[in-house]
Amino acid sequence: SLLDFATPVDGQDEYDSTAPVAVKRRKAASRPAKILPKPSWLKAQPATSDNYRALRSTVRDLGLATVCEEAKCPNIGECWGGGDDSVA
């Protein structure tokens, strides 16, 4: 119940839900002033292979939506790019 979380104000026997309540606000903790850049090994290279472009074109021509594109997956080039045997 509300009384588990609210206590009566001094001089009252019961908690009055219509009485104004003072809210004490606290400032949030300060954040570091400088945002550090991501390490180079974490950054994905843009997809540029011919297999990727062909598959993307096919998906667009058919009017399909893929989870990879909707989620902006950074690894889409690796999945759609295929391997050395030109298979995606």
Side-chain angles (χ1 to χ4, degrees):
S1 82
L2 179 62
L3 294 178
D4 293 336
F5 302 99
T7 56
V9 179
D10 292 337
Q12 292 180 342
D13 293 334
E14 293 183 0
Y15 177 76
D16 181 9
S17 62
T18 61
V21 178
V23 176
K24 184 175 181 179
R25 298 187 183 266
R26 295 182 295 171
K27 284 191 168 188
S30 62
R31 294 160 65 186
K34 184 178 179 184
I35 297 175
L36 300 175
K38 292 181 175 56
S40 60
W41 57 265
L42 186 60
K43 297 178 184 178
Q45 297 297 320
T48 57
S49 74
D50 292 334
N51 287 342
Y52 169 77
R53 285 192 209 109
L55 185 54
R56 184 182 67 187
S57 176
T58 302
V59 167
R60 297 245 167 79
D61 290 344
L62 295 174
L64 301 175
T66 66
V67 173
C68 306
E69 289 181 307
E70 294 294 322
K72 295 184 171 94
C73 179
N75 301 318
I76 194 169
E78 293 178 26
C79 296
W80 287 18
D84 295 334
D85 57 357
S86 300
V87 177

